Amino acid sequence: MWRAGSQTWLHQLSKAGKLCVPAINVNDSVTKQKFDNLYCCRESILDSLKKTTDIMFGGKQVAICGYGEVGKGCSAALKAMGSVVYVTEIDPICALQACMDGFRLAKLGDVVRHVDMVITCTGNKNVVVREHMDLMKNGCVVCNMGRSNTEIDVNSLQTPELVWQHVRAQVDHIIWPDGKRIVLLAEGRVLNLSSSTVPIYVLSITATTQALALIELFNAPEGRYKQDVYLLPKKLDEYVASLHLQTFDAHLTELTDEQAKYMGLSKYGPFKPSYYR
């Protein structure tokens, strides 16, 4: 069982026949992707930026790199605060979602000269490179909300002509020879994990998902899981969600026998196919 950051490594081990135990991919479970990744980031991005920079969001132009669940959360939060949000994407489906949600789809190189903030949310590497940072305007804030510390090419800033000025915890000014400076947060590490707190409620959802994944692996009959990578059974995803509905005094509608038969479902779930994400 694992969370973010290990997927590629474990899949590579599995393909090479070197995975010693079964593993459940919790990070790609519905209850992790649609709650922790989206709603946690929607709140913590604002908290993190306020704590580190005291920036005012209204009217600021922001480039969000990536429109997965993390990018969706960050974009929604900044739009709600009055920021003008540009989104960069490689996936046409996510790109179309961004357009339908009212965001401007652009290439980073086309908007980087005039934006006030650049936030990476891709899980990839070298999304923001030295060439981008050379073009940024004075005072541009650069930070990462993605999966690792590889999205911003921080190593390219470790050169003699640039001066690093440590302002306070998690805040560095990188100063160019002409006096221009950019504000780098958390040295390119995941910002909300470095500068904010994770809301207890969404942490409960993720922790419950992890615990149930471990229980599933421990109690599974011999032979159910091979030495491979699996997704969390949809029934468990739905169980995690149902447990947390109690907080809202929410009441689920129950299918009648006739409705369940018509839909080809059990009255008690799972209500979505295993491939639903």
Side-chain angles (χ1 to χ4, degrees):
M1 181 276 300
W2 81 85
R3 284 188 63 192
S6 303
Q7 295 95 314
T8 302
W9 177 62
L10 284 178
H11 279 295
Q12 288 172 350
L13 286 177
S14 178
K15 288 179 180 178
K18 296 180 179 179
L19 190 63
C20 300
V21 294
I24 289 182
N25 177 356
V26 166
N27 190 62
D28 286 335
S29 65
V30 175
T31 41
K32 172 66 168 63
Q33 287 282 343
K34 292 188 180 296
F35 297 94
D36 191 332
N37 292 15
L38 196 160
Y39 297 110
C40 176
C41 293
R42 191 175 70 180
E43 298 196 19
S44 62
I45 182 60
L46 301 180
D47 184 45
S48 299
L49 288 168
K50 280 292 187 186
K51 285 180 176 176
T52 52
T53 67
D54 297 315
I55 196 169
M56 185 172 183
F57 301 114
K60 292 294 188 297
Q61 297 196 59
V62 184
I64 305 285
C65 301
Y67 203 67
E69 300 301 331
V70 173
K72 288 179 174 69
C74 292
S75 298
L78 286 159
K79 181 181 180 181
M81 295 300 292
S83 298
V84 178
V85 179
Y86 299 90
V87 170
T88 75
E89 248 302 337
I90 61 166
D91 182 339
I93 295 175
C94 292
L96 182 58
Q97 287 180 309
C99 292
M100 295 292 284
D101 287 337
F103 299 108
R104 294 290 303 274
L105 189 73
K107 293 182 178 180
L108 183 58
D110 293 339
V111 299
V112 74
R113 292 177 183 271
H114 63 259
V115 295
D116 301 289
M117 284 184 274
V118 177
I119 304 171
T120 56
C121 307
T122 70
N124 207 333
K125 65 179 294 186
N126 294 338
V127 177
V128 176
V129 295
R130 177 64 183 269
E131 288 78 7
H132 293 129
M133 292 182 276
D134 284 339
L135 295 174
M136 290 175 182
K137 69 180 185 180
N138 184 50
C140 184
V141 176
V142 184
C143 62
N144 170 39
M145 286 287 287
R147 192 169 291 159
S148 62
N149 62 352
T150 60
E151 304 207 23
I152 302 167
D153 186 10
V154 176
N155 288 336
S156 70
L157 300 174
Q158 304 285 356
T159 54
E161 75 275 12
L162 300 183
V163 176
W164 283 62
Q165 183 181 70
H166 186 67
V167 179
R168 57 178 179 266
Q170 313 301 341
V171 182
D172 290 286
H173 287 184
I174 317 300
I175 307 171
W176 266 250
D178 63 358
K180 181 196 86 169
R181 63 183 64 202
I182 66 170
V183 183
L184 178 65
L185 303 183
E187 297 182 346
R189 298 184 301 274
V190 183
L191 180 63
N192 62 342
L193 299 183
S194 303
S195 308
S196 183
T197 56
V198 178
I200 273 296
Y201 186 76
V202 81
L203 183 61
S204 172
I205 295 173
T206 299
T208 304
T209 306
Q210 290 176 298
L212 289 175
L214 287 170
I215 293 169
E216 171 70 14
L217 289 173
F218 183 80
N219 289 336
E222 186 175 352
R224 173 180 291 179
Y225 293 109
K226 312 294 183 184
Q227 294 174 354
D228 203 350
V229 179
Y230 297 87
L231 290 170
L232 191 74
K234 189 60 71 253
K235 184 72 174 176
L236 293 183
D237 257 329
E238 293 177 356
Y239 181 56
V240 173
S242 67
L243 290 174
H244 288 82
L245 280 173
Q246 299 171 24
T247 306
F248 299 101
D249 190 29
H251 304 279
L252 283 170
T253 300
E254 296 182 5
L255 292 173
T256 65
D257 291 336
E258 182 181 7
Q259 288 172 329
K261 183 178 180 181
Y262 178 76
M263 295 295 292
L265 298 172
S266 164
K267 291 176 62 174
Y268 310 104
F271 300 99
K272 292 289 191 295
S274 60
Y275 54 80
Y276 171 77
R277 288 290 170 269

